Amino acid sequence: MGAKIDTVDSRAKAKPRSEPYWVRLAGGCMLGYRKLTAASIGSWYARYRDPETGHRAKTSLGDFSALPPAQRYDAAKKEAEQWFAHLGRGGAVVSVTVRVACENYVKHVRTTKGDDTADDLQARFSRWVNDAPIGRVVIAKLSRRQVDAWRAGLAATPVVIDPHAEEPRTRPRAASSVNRDCAALRAALNYAHDVGDVTTDMAWRVALRPTKGADGRRTVYLDREQRRKLISCVNPDFVEFVKGMAHLPLRPGALAALTVGQFDKRHGVLSIGKDKAGQDRRIKLPKFTSEVLAKLATDKLPVAPLFAQASGKAWNKDAWKKPMKEAAAAAGLPPGTVLYTLRHSTITDLVIDGLDLLTVALLSGTSVEMIEKHYGHLREDHAAEALAKLVL
């Protein structure tokens, strides 16, 4: 061992050397102190030996220069013991920050759910996590207080309505928006927990729970006549994409991601691939819709977007936002009408027309639970009709 390291005087008297001075805290658990020059304040290390495998691991704890010299040993000992406990529960040797945990999760999602979902997550983390104080926290040291502070800051950040105006207008951030951003971070931290970067989820298990009742039913519904009116007001470059939304209960991102190769013209089957629902699905199309898609696919390569802009590029949120807003205004549609309104409207019609909820869920790429939550009330008339048939 060579020297004591638990007092300021003992560390001051320790000779500079490249190998740390080690003291034993417990079986296989060592705390080390090293200084390379006589004037250096020194750095702290922890070393661990797995009692079952004999595997050794070492990590740097830092210099604790922000603390008075008399407090550095206790602080280093505490942090080393936390690391030992983390390893003892099967945690990873390498320390991972919240930002790195989010980056790792994006990579995982990109290979399992596709680029669209991964890009959305990456954008959320870039806005709210990467450069925030929480992003620099080692995930194994993350506390409930830090997660609560991050969520409070997120909720308090207003939404800029028109960033290009001389005096940008803002509105309070909706609880549903906070829920979505919290869900992204929660998923990243849960993944880190699954792969062993952290061995407990106590810091975020409660702190990132969604606010109940925030994601209420979508209230803007367009009947068939309103949808026809919208289509008549859409510019030619955008009209086929809007028709696609009116004929298929898909998310806008899923429709935009479709390629020509995903449409089987011979059998009239559309393969959706992985979107938010996280699984592949195939939709047998009616003759009219199949013929429309067949025209869109003509003379295009299999990798080309099925619904393309005039430039040949696939549609995306930035591209469709303005033309959709202009068309909705020209058609005199209710405030709050957006492209997603068409998905809500088509699902509503499927439910009202009596299609069973399981099939609706499969077509729309969501769970039966979500369909029941948002659309189950529309089946009340069907229930009443069924009960009426029981009258003797």
Side-chain angles (χ1 to χ4, degrees):
M1 300 300 175
K4 293 178 62 178
I5 61 174
D6 59 339
T7 67
V8 176
D9 287 342
S10 64
R11 295 195 296 274
K13 294 176 181 177
K15 294 182 179 180
R17 68 182 197 183
S18 58
E19 175 64 18
Y21 293 95
W22 296 101
V23 295
R24 181 177 178 273
L25 300 183
C29 301
M30 310 288 287
L31 176 65
Y33 171 77
R34 181 182 74 172
K35 63 178 184 180
L36 298 177
T37 67
S40 170
I41 66 172
S43 299
W44 297 85
Y45 298 85
R47 191 174 71 192
Y48 178 78
R49 180 180 181 278
D50 190 305
E52 295 182 2
T53 65
H55 177 74
R56 295 177 181 270
K58 186 173 77 171
T59 188
S60 172
L61 303 175
D63 60 15
F64 298 94
S65 58
L67 297 176
Q71 297 179 16
R72 292 171 188 166
Y73 173 81
D74 289 339
K77 179 174 179 289
K78 180 180 179 180
E79 187 159 323
E81 289 171 341
Q82 291 175 342
W83 187 65
F84 297 144
H86 168 74
L87 294 182
R89 293 190 295 264
V93 172
V94 179
S95 296
V96 171
T97 64
V98 172
R99 175 173 181 165
V100 172
C102 290
E103 292 172 351
N104 291 341
Y105 181 59
V106 169
K107 293 177 183 176
H108 168 71
V109 169
R110 196 172 297 282
T111 59
T112 57
K113 296 186 178 180
D115 289 337
D116 289 342
T117 304
D119 289 344
D120 177 76
L121 287 168
Q122 189 170 42
R124 291 180 190 275
F125 296 146
S126 296
R127 287 195 300 271
W128 305 117
V129 177
N130 292 353
D131 297 323
I134 197 174
R136 299 188 291 273
V137 178
V138 173
I139 190 172
K141 302 178 184 178
L142 188 63
S143 68
R144 167 72 184 272
R145 177 183 56 80
Q146 291 168 318
V147 179
D148 282 338
W150 175 83
R151 181 170 186 155
L154 176 67
T157 304
V159 176
V160 179
I161 299 175
D162 185 1
H164 303 295
E166 291 185 7
E167 295 185 7
R169 294 182 297 118
T170 63
R171 61 172 174 79
R173 187 169 300 278
S176 58
S177 295
V178 175
N179 277 353
R180 286 190 287 272
D181 290 318
C182 285
L185 179 58
R186 184 173 66 250
L189 297 179
N190 284 341
Y191 177 71
H193 182 262
D194 291 343
V195 299
D197 290 333
V198 63
T199 57
T200 175
D201 62 355
M202 290 298 293
W204 68 86
R205 182 192 302 171
V206 175
L208 294 181
R209 281 179 182 171
T211 301
K212 292 184 178 180
D215 300 300
R217 295 172 182 164
R218 301 179 183 274
T219 56
V220 179
Y221 165 77
L222 304 181
D223 61 30
R224 286 174 171 81
E225 186 55 41
Q226 287 175 308
R227 279 174 260 169
R228 293 189 187 98
K229 180 66 174 176
L230 172 66
I231 291 171
S232 71
C233 295
V234 172
N235 68 56
D237 184 30
F238 189 42
V239 68
E240 295 301 336
F241 192 78
V242 174
K243 285 181 179 179
M245 287 297 304
H247 294 154
L248 297 166
L250 303 182
R251 296 177 180 85
L255 191 73
L258 290 174
T259 62
V260 172
Q262 290 174 262
F263 174 56
D264 182 348
K265 180 168 32 176
R266 180 181 176 185
H267 297 98
V269 173
L270 187 64
S271 298
I272 305 303
K274 297 178 180 179
D275 66 354
K276 185 177 179 181
Q279 61 183 12
D280 296 317
R281 63 190 192 279
R282 291 159 56 86
I283 298 177
K284 174 66 177 177
L285 302 174
K287 182 179 179 181
F288 173 80
T289 306
S290 183
E291 290 175 349
V292 170
L293 297 191
K295 291 180 181 178
L296 293 178
T298 301
D299 297 329
K300 291 183 179 178
L301 294 174
V303 296
L306 185 57
F307 292 88
Q309 302 180 55
S311 64
K313 294 182 179 179
W315 286 97
N316 57 55
K317 184 166 58 176
D318 293 332
W320 73 55
K321 187 174 181 180
K322 182 178 179 181
M324 180 62 193
K325 184 177 181 180
E326 292 174 346
L333 300 182
T337 297
V338 294
L339 196 57
Y340 204 99
T341 303
L342 291 172
R343 169 178 162 84
H344 167 64
S345 301
T346 56
I347 294 176
T348 298
D349 284 357
L350 292 175
V351 174
I352 290 177
D353 290 344
L355 187 62
D356 66 277
L357 299 188
L358 175 59
T359 303
V360 174
L362 292 173
L363 287 173
S364 56
T366 190
S367 66
V368 174
E369 179 183 3
M370 291 302 294
I371 294 295
E372 288 179 337
K373 177 181 177 181
H374 293 286
Y375 302 94
H377 64 289
L378 300 174
R379 301 299 301 270
E380 292 173 356
D381 289 341
H382 293 286
E385 291 175 4
L387 290 174
K389 294 177 182 179
L390 299 178
V391 177
L392 300 177

